[in-house]
Amino acid sequence: MPTKPAPCEHCGFHYNCLCDHTPSLNSNVRIELLMHETEANRATNTGRLLEASLPLCRRHIWHRKTPPAELLTLLADPAAQPFLVFPNETATPLERLTECHPSSSNRQPYEKPLHFIIVDATWQQAHKMLRQSPWLEDIPTVTLPEGLTTAYSLRRNQPSGSLCTCEVGIEILAALGEQENARAISAYFHQFMLMFEADRQHIALSQ
């Protein structure tokens, strides 16, 4: 039996390498990934695709007893405007929120920089994280448009139609006027899905 190739030390794939497909984008969109501690080492995690592509995307590891200090500092900053991306009864629709601010594509600054906090976890973990994070209770929430469909199929037992973390980021980029960046990350995400399936089947894709 052929020996399984060593994984790429950056993307982790054995039979294909995603690294050359990673876009390096000029973006004004600020995304804060509130990542469950188990997500950091999961091959199926897509938050890292945003982190690798966007200069203003940061990772904050969630622990039940120790809130991430850097994110707490941001939440306390009166010069910043954080929004938690999560559906609830009081959430502002994303399209309504972005109508009130200049598009990032024209390089004009917002009155307050918007920071979108995406919970990077399974749907079940995300609900638990929010229940156990009282420091998020006063953060206004924003929700994505209804009727979106997902191309993500690497996790079981997730609500039908719910988007993965990378897809949420793509929707935010598009809503803020960065359509080209949204398309670039969408292509990167689909390449990740293609390579993930090829790697699972021990197939080296032609370059």
Side-chain angles (χ1 to χ4, degrees), residues 5-62:
C8 171
E9 61 180 13
H10 298 292
C11 70
F13 287 132
H14 292 263
Y15 293 87
N16 303 278
C17 183
L18 186 65
C19 298
D20 288 343
H21 297 273
T22 306
S24 180
L25 303 176
N26 181 16
S27 171
N28 290 335
V29 175
R30 297 168 175 86
I31 290 178
E32 313 293 338
L33 299 175
L34 182 56
M35 185 179 289
H36 191 277
E37 56 190 318
T38 63
E39 283 292 322
N41 296 317
R42 281 183 174 169
T44 54
N45 177 270
T46 66
R48 59 194 174 100
L49 303 181
L50 297 175
E51 191 179 15
S53 306
L54 299 175
L56 300 179
C57 179
R58 300 184 297 179
R59 174 189 304 200
H60 309 273
I61 300 298
W62 181 88

Side-chain angles (χ1 to χ4, degrees):
M1 178 178 293
T3 303
K4 188 176 184 178
C8 171
E9 61 180 13
H10 298 292
C11 70
F13 287 132
H14 292 263
Y15 293 87
N16 303 278
C17 183
L18 186 65
C19 298
D20 288 343
H21 297 273
T22 306
S24 180
L25 303 176
N26 181 16
S27 171
N28 290 335
V29 175
R30 297 168 175 86
I31 290 178
E32 313 293 338
L33 299 175
L34 182 56
M35 185 179 289
H36 191 277
E37 56 190 318
T38 63
E39 283 292 322
N41 296 317
R42 281 183 174 169
T44 54
N45 177 270
T46 66
R48 59 194 174 100
L49 303 181
L50 297 175
E51 191 179 15
S53 306
L54 299 175
L56 300 179
C57 179
R58 300 184 297 179
R59 174 189 304 200
H60 309 273
I61 300 298
W62 181 88
H63 298 280
R64 184 172 64 86
K65 296 183 178 180
T66 310
E70 191 175 13
L71 185 55
L72 289 182
T73 299
L74 169 67
L75 298 182
D77 184 356
Q81 177 58 70
F83 280 94
L84 178 65
V85 184
F86 206 81
N88 61 31
E89 298 79 10
T90 62
T92 300
L94 178 62
E95 59 270 26
R96 187 184 305 169
L97 173 69
T98 55
E99 286 172 358
C100 302
H101 297 274
S103 167
S104 60
S105 62
N106 61 22
R107 304 305 174 195
Q108 296 179 9
Y110 295 117
E111 181 178 350
K112 283 187 177 183
L114 302 183
H115 293 258
F116 293 92
I117 303 170
I118 303 176
V119 182
D120 192 9
T122 66
W123 195 250
Q124 295 84 353
Q125 288 172 333
H127 280 282
K128 181 178 178 180
M129 289 165 67
L130 296 184
R131 288 197 305 270
Q132 297 180 347
S133 302
W135 44 275
L136 287 173
E137 288 179 356
D138 295 329
I139 306 304
T141 52
V142 64
T143 187
L144 301 180
E146 296 182 359
L148 298 174
T149 58
T150 182
Y152 185 74
S153 58
L154 304 182
R155 303 265 176 99
R156 297 180 179 178
N157 303 320
Q158 298 304 294
S160 176
S162 60
L163 304 188
C164 70
T165 299
C166 187
E167 291 173 317
V168 173
I170 292 168
E171 291 298 323
I172 292 172
L173 287 166
L176 288 176
E178 295 194 6
Q179 283 86 1
E180 289 188 11
N181 286 343
R183 286 190 289 268
I185 295 187
S186 180
Y188 181 40
F189 166 68
H190 283 89
Q191 188 66 33
F192 164 79
M193 294 289 291
L194 180 66
M195 286 190 169
F196 193 100
E197 184 59 31
D199 234 52
R200 183 155 53 187
Q201 297 184 30
H202 299 183
I203 296 173
L205 300 172
S206 57
Q207 300 298 316

